[in-house]
Amino acid sequence: MTIPYPNTQPVPAIAAVTPPSGASRPRVTFLGTGYLGATYAICYAELGYEVLGFDVDADKIAKLNAGEVPIHEPGLDELLRRNLAAGRLRFSTDIAETAAFGDVHFICVGTPQRADGMGADLSYVEASVTSLAQHLTRKALIVGKSTVPVGTAEWVEQLVGKHTPADLGVEVAWSPEFLQEGFAVDDVLRPNRIVVGVKSEWANGMLYAAHKGVFDLAATEDREVPLVVTDFATAELVKVAANAFLATKISFINAMAEVCEASSGDVTQLARAIGYDPRIGNRFLQAGLGFGGACLPKDIRAFQARAQELGAGEALRFLHEVDLINLRRRTRVLQLAADLLGRRSGPAGPDLSGTRIAVLGATFKPNTDDVRDAPALAVAALLHKAGADVHVYDPQGMDNARRAVPELSYEADIAEAVTGADLVCVLTEWADFRNADPGLLGDLVAGRRVVDARNCLDSALWTQAGWEYRGMGRP
Ligand code: UGA
C-alpha cells in the first residue's frame, strides 16, 4: 500500500511501513528536553503520539513529570498537563527504557559554539546517539533535529553502525526544525514546511508516519504542509541556510540603520517602504539591537567554520560581515547612552561612572526567558563595565539573567528599575515596555532620557511627555 503526499508536488508516493514496536503509529522519543526537545515532546503528544522525553538532567525530568515546564514558552504548560493526564506523555532519565520504547528517536540536544573556536560542539550529539545506540535491541529510526554542520548525519550513521549489531538494521535520517522561541507551539503543530533527509524507502515511510499527525491537523484546518524529501547533506544545509538568510536580512537592515545614522535618514520608514515590495517582504526587517539567542549567532559562525573546512570558505565570507554589523549595534547603544548623558568617549569607550541606568529587557527577544547570547544582557554588561549603576528588569528572564550576569542589580518591576534613573534603555521589545506610560515613568526618573534600542516605542508620545528620545537608525 502507498500513501500519497499531502501536497500537490509531483513526487513519488511513500511506502506505508509498520512500526517495529508493532504499535499502529510509531512511538516517538525526544532526546534532550531543552527549548527544542521539551516543546516537540509535548506537542507530539498533543498530536496523539505516544511520547517519551529523555534527558540526563534529573531535575528537568522531575519537573516535566510533575507538570512543570522548565522554560517560558507561551501555551506549553497547559499542553504538558493535558497530555500527562491523558497518559500519552512521560519523561525519563533512563536510556534503556527510552531505547526500548521508541520506533523513532529524535535527537534534540544542543550544539553550542565550541569554546575553542567558531565551529559547533557535537559532544552532546555524540553522547546521546552513542548511549541510545548501545541500548537498542530492535530496529529503529534515529532522526537528527539538532542544528549541525553538514556531514554530521553521515558521521552519526557511522556511530550507530559502530554501536549496534548490523542485523538490527537501525537507520538514520535528518529532519531539521524551524521553530522560533515564543511561537514554538504553533511552529511545531503548524510548521510551514517539513524537510527530511533520508537514504531508504523504509526511513522515508517511518518519518512520514512520524509526521502524519502534523499533516492530519493541517487537513482538518484546510491547510497544506509542504514536504521536502532530500538527501542528508541538503537537509542539514537547509537549516543553516535558513538561519544564515534570516541573520543576513537583519544585518542588512541594521547596515541601512548605520547609513541612516550618518545621513539623518530614518531606517524605520526605509524598512517599511522597501518591505512593501513582495520580493523583499517586511518580516525580519526590524532594525535595532540585532540578533541574539542560542541559534542565529552561533549558527552563522559554525556555518563559516564548516565551509572553511570544506574549502568553500570564500562563499560565506559575507557572514563574517553580517556578524560584525550585528555586534556593532551593541556599541552603538553605548554611544547613544554616552551622548544623552553628556559623557565623552575615550579610547576605552565612554566613562559612565556616577550615572544610574535602567535597563528594560534581558532576554534575546520578547515572550521567552532565554538570555543565551542576548544582546540586551550584553549591553547591560557593557554599561556596567563603563561605570554605570545598572538596574535591570525583564518580565520573564530575571532568574536566567541573574545567573548569567550576577554583577548587575535586578529589580522587581519597571517602576523600581527606572526610579532615580538618569537614563532608561529599552533593550527588548516586551509589550509591557511598548505600552508603558511615558508620563508616569517620567515622574519616577531623575532625567527623562530614553534609548529605544528596538525602535519599539512611540517616539512622538515619549517626546511629547518631555523625554529626550534616541532610536536606532533614526534622526
Ligand atoms: C531562529 C529562527 O527564526 C528559527 O526558524 C530557528 O528554528 C531557530 O532560530 C533555531 O535555529 O532553532 P529564534 O532564535 O527563536 O529562531 O529567534 P528569532 O525569532 O529568529 O530571532 C532571533 C533574533 O533576531 C532575536 O534576537 C530578535 O530580536 C532578532 N530580530 C529578529 C531582529 O533584530 N530583527 C528582526 O526583524 C527579527
Side-chain angles (χ1 to χ4, degrees):
M1 190 183 115
T2 55
I3 304 164
Y5 273 71
N7 61 1
T8 51
Q9 312 255 333
V11 283
I14 301 173
V17 293
T18 310
S21 65
S24 57
R25 301 178 100 182
R27 294 188 190 155
V28 291
T29 79
F30 294 89
L31 283 83
T33 56
Y35 287 86
L36 170 62
T39 308
Y40 262 91
I42 295 166
C43 289
Y44 267 64
E46 178 68 14
L47 288 169
Y49 289 95
E50 274 190 75
V51 177
L52 194 153
F54 167 85
D55 205 291
V56 292
D57 182 337
D59 270 1
K60 220 185 256 179
I61 292 300
K63 274 193 179 147
L64 284 162
N65 276 325
E68 205 185 312
V69 180
I71 52 166
H72 174 76
E73 184 58 52
L76 206 51
D77 298 70
E78 197 202 324
L79 293 190
L80 171 63
R81 285 193 282 273
R82 182 153 82 215
N83 286 287
L84 284 173
R88 280 190 295 269
L89 175 63
R90 70 205 157 84
F91 295 90
S92 172
T93 53
D94 185 340
I95 192 69
E97 183 191 2
T98 307
F101 177 84
D103 296 301
V104 180
H105 301 278
F106 289 101
I107 305 298
C108 298
V109 295
T111 51
Q113 187 173 339
R114 288 170 66 110
D116 61 354
M118 298 215 306
D121 174 356
L122 295 177
S123 56
Y124 301 110
V125 173
E126 181 169 16
S128 58
V129 169
T130 304
S131 61
L132 172 68
Q134 285 168 343
H135 287 86
L136 287 172
T137 53
R138 64 167 140 78
K139 188 171 175 70
L141 182 66
I142 300 180
V143 185
K145 274 218 164 288
S146 308
T147 304
V148 293
V150 58
T152 302
E154 294 283 350
W155 168 73
V156 164
E157 199 178 50
Q158 285 163 19
L159 261 185
V160 171
K162 207 164 97 187
H163 294 289
T164 58
D167 61 348
L168 286 191
V170 175
E171 294 193 28
V172 170
W174 217 264
S175 181
E177 56 74 33
F178 306 99
L179 67 82
Q180 311 157 75
E181 288 178 25
F183 303 96
V185 169
D186 220 41
D187 282 347
V188 174
L189 296 177
R190 298 176 179 82
N192 47 31
R193 79 283 210 191
I194 286 175
V195 178
V196 301
V198 287
K199 279 193 178 173
S200 77
E201 286 263 320
W202 181 82
N204 198 18
M206 210 58 212
L207 212 38
Y208 180 82
H211 283 122
K212 190 154 184 313
V214 170
F215 295 128
D216 288 349
L217 176 66
T220 64
E221 294 174 350
D222 207 16
R223 285 181 294 110
E224 277 185 1
V225 178
L227 172 65
V228 179
V229 180
T230 183
D231 52 82
F232 280 8
T234 309
E236 292 166 316
L237 284 169
V238 164
K239 173 57 192 273
V240 279
N243 275 1
F245 190 87
L246 294 173
T248 303
K249 201 169 177 193
I250 298 167
S251 276
F252 174 83
I253 202 63
N254 281 328
M256 295 305 108
E258 286 190 32
V259 179
C260 284
E261 279 151 15
S263 59
S264 69
D266 185 334
V267 75
T268 60
Q269 291 178 24
L270 182 149
R272 208 174 126 229
I274 64 172
Y276 283 127
D277 183 333
R279 292 171 304 171
I280 296 174
N282 60 10
R283 302 197 54 198
F284 272 67
L285 219 47
Q286 179 73 35
L289 187 46
F291 58 82
C295 305
L296 265 42
K298 67 110 172 135
D299 287 353
I300 60 167
R301 291 173 197 150
F303 198 12
Q304 290 170 75
R306 184 64 183 137
Q308 193 76 37
E309 285 170 4
L310 294 167
E314 221 165 312
L316 298 189
R317 203 167 287 165
F318 73 96
L319 287 178
H320 180 59
E321 222 40 68
V322 166
D323 205 358
L324 292 181
I325 294 166
N326 193 52
L327 294 174
R328 276 206 295 277
R329 294 287 81 191
R330 302 177 184 188
T331 37
R332 172 69 184 165
V333 175
L334 206 63
Q335 275 169 12
L336 288 174
D339 285 353
L340 276 175
L341 292 165
R343 296 301 178 96
R344 298 195 128 214
S345 278
D351 176 8
L352 301 178
S353 51
T355 65
R356 181 178 165 137
I357 298 180
V359 161
L360 300 183
T363 51
F364 82 103
K365 66 175 186 179
N367 305 317
T368 176
D369 61 351
D370 196 345
V371 301
R372 291 176 293 173
D373 210 339
L377 209 49
V379 167
L382 285 176
L383 294 167
H384 171 79
K385 211 168 141 222
D389 177 18
V390 178
H391 295 256
V392 182
Y393 169 70
D394 186 280
Q396 292 292 340
M398 298 296 269
D399 291 345
N400 288 337
R402 205 179 273 120
R403 265 195 297 275
V405 191
E407 57 272 27
L408 307 175
S409 302
Y410 292 93
E411 305 297 344
D413 54 32
I414 301 179
E416 283 192 22
V418 305
T419 298
D422 302 299
L423 170 71
V424 174
C425 294
V426 178
L427 304 185
T428 311
E429 67 276 34
W430 283 96
D432 289 5
F433 307 152
R434 290 199 314 265
N435 302 329
D437 182 336
L440 292 178
L441 294 190
D443 294 339
L444 300 174
V445 295
R448 297 187 176 202
R449 303 178 191 94
V450 63
V451 176
D452 177 10
R454 293 287 180 183
N455 291 334
C456 63
L457 305 177
D458 182 338
S459 56
L461 205 68
W462 283 69
T463 311
Q464 275 158 27
W467 288 76
E468 238 184 299
Y469 172 95
R470 294 281 188 286
M472 303 288 275
R474 309 181 73 180

